[in-house]
């Protein structure tokens, strides 16, 4: 049976309550995982998708080859300097050069081609929000238990205490430890699903989570309310199919 760790929210709409549970790398519920953490979402929860577009041809114009010279030509400074030197008093090739220089004023080498942007990748999508846990009857089951479970999911399952690649390699050679455990001795945090307002994002990772230590407590030191800032991120960059799957879940 599913074990739900949450506060008592009474008649609050379920669309305003976020749910979290363990999943595998495909976003499916992890086998044997039967715990769900629920919390109300406060403040402005937002999904941020950053798309990296760059203009690789910006440096293809002549301005980048001789920037000072072309800046003088475009601004008209070159022809002014030519005039002040007195070359324009001679009705010969010098005056023709001045008129030639004046034709550069207001011109630029930027075109639609060398200003074209190309898609250059994107980082995973991120969700920032603040979760609220509060107790009406029992701080242990309504605040402490759901927050502790969420924190355990955010932390690595296990970090090797005194292992090094060299010592583990010796143990693997002797046969007392397999090579996978020797090279990667620790276990990463859990992947989660995040469900909110009818949309399920999975798999997700918790990039940051905070516990306000000055939050209100009961007479025995148990937290009775916690406002927990959390930043979630998708395991990888998302595409159109991923977005469509979110709407169907």
């Amino acid at each position: 049976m599913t074990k739900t760790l949450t506060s008592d929210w009474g008649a609050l709409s379920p669309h305003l309550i976020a749910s979290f549970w363990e999943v595998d790398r495909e976003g499916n519920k992890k086998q044997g995982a039967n715990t769900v953490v629920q919390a109300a979402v406060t403040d402005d929860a937002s999904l941020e998708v950053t798309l990296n577009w760059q203009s690789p041809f910006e440096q293809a114009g002549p301005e980048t080859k001789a920037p000072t010279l072309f800046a003088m030509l475009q601004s008209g400074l070159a022809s002014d300097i030519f005039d002040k030197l007195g070359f324009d008093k001679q009705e010969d090739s010098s005056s023709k050069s001045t008129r030639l220089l004046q034709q550069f004023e207001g011109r630029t080498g930027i075109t639609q081609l060398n200003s074209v942007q190309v898609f250059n990748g994107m980082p995973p999508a991120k969700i920032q929000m603040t979760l609220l846990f509060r107790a009406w009857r029992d701080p242990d089951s309504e605040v402490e238990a759901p927050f502790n479970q969420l924190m355990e999911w955010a932390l690595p399952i296990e970090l090797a205490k005194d292992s090094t690649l060299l010592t583990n390699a010796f143990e693997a050679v002797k046969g007392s430890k397999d090579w996978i455990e020797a090279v990667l001795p620790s276990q990463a945090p859990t992947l989660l699903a995040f469900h909110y307002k009818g949309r399920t994002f999975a798999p997700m990772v918790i990039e940051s989570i905070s516990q306000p230590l000055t939050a209100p407590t009961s007479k025995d030191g148990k937290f009775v309310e916690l406002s927990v800032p959390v930043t979630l991120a998708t395991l990888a960059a998302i595409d159109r199919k991923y977005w469509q799957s979110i709407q169907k879940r």
Side-chain angles (χ1 to χ4, degrees):
M1 295 180 60
T2 301
K3 178 182 178 182
T4 303
L5 303 177
T6 184
S7 306
D8 184 3
W9 297 109
L12 183 66
S13 170
H15 294 303
L16 301 179
I17 299 176
S19 299
F20 303 87
W21 62 87
E22 294 180 274
V23 296
D24 58 22
R25 295 182 67 88
E26 303 300 324
N28 302 317
K29 187 175 181 181
K30 191 175 181 180
Q31 186 175 4
N34 59 355
T35 301
V36 176
V37 171
Q38 293 184 337
V41 178
T42 64
D43 295 340
D44 293 330
S46 61
L47 169 66
E48 179 183 351
V49 178
T50 303
L51 304 169
N52 293 336
W53 288 88
Q54 295 184 356
S55 300
F57 307 113
E58 284 181 339
Q59 307 302 319
E63 296 94 337
T64 60
K65 309 304 179 183
T68 303
L69 173 61
F70 276 89
M72 294 175 63
L73 291 174
Q74 292 179 32
S75 63
L77 182 60
S79 59
D80 290 344
I81 295 176
F82 207 73
D83 291 342
K84 291 179 180 179
L85 291 176
F87 293 141
D88 60 337
K89 296 179 181 179
Q90 303 176 10
E91 294 297 332
D92 53 13
S93 60
S94 297
S95 60
K96 295 180 180 178
S97 299
T98 302
R99 290 195 295 270
L100 176 63
L101 292 176
Q102 290 175 346
Q103 296 180 25
F104 284 94
E105 294 184 29
R107 308 290 296 184
T108 179
I110 298 176
T111 66
Q112 287 189 345
L113 177 60
N114 60 25
S115 62
V116 165
Q117 296 192 83
V118 296
F119 183 64
N120 198 35
M122 58 184 294
K126 294 188 178 184
I127 299 177
Q128 295 182 337
M129 59 188 166
T130 301
L131 303 177
L132 176 63
F133 302 95
R134 66 180 182 184
W136 289 103
R137 302 178 182 86
D138 182 16
D140 271 321
S141 62
E142 295 183 79
V143 178
E144 297 277 350
F147 174 79
N148 288 338
Q149 181 63 78
L150 198 62
M151 179 63 80
E152 288 181 12
W153 284 339
L155 297 174
I157 297 175
E158 182 182 6
L159 292 178
K161 296 180 180 179
D162 54 359
S163 299
T164 65
L165 181 59
L166 183 60
T167 58
N168 287 344
F170 280 121
E171 293 183 9
V173 171
K174 292 187 297 183
S176 58
K177 182 179 293 187
D178 61 53
W179 280 102
I180 296 178
E181 186 179 352
V183 176
L184 302 172
S186 302
Q187 297 184 46
T190 302
L191 303 179
L192 299 177
F194 166 60
H195 179 82
Y196 184 59
K197 292 188 175 180
R199 297 165 177 82
T200 302
F201 299 84
M204 305 285 288
V205 298
I206 298 179
E207 282 199 344
S208 67
I209 181 172
S210 300
Q211 182 185 43
L213 298 178
T214 56
T217 59
S218 62
K219 62 181 181 180
D220 54 355
K222 302 292 184 180
F223 286 111
V224 297
E225 182 176 318
L226 283 176
S227 293
V228 182
V230 175
T231 299
L232 301 174
T234 55
L235 186 61
I238 65 175
D239 56 12
R240 188 177 302 180
K241 291 183 179 179
Y242 181 94
W243 184 256
Q244 292 172 350
S245 67
I246 292 174
Q247 314 306 316
K248 295 177 181 179
R249 289 174 178 170

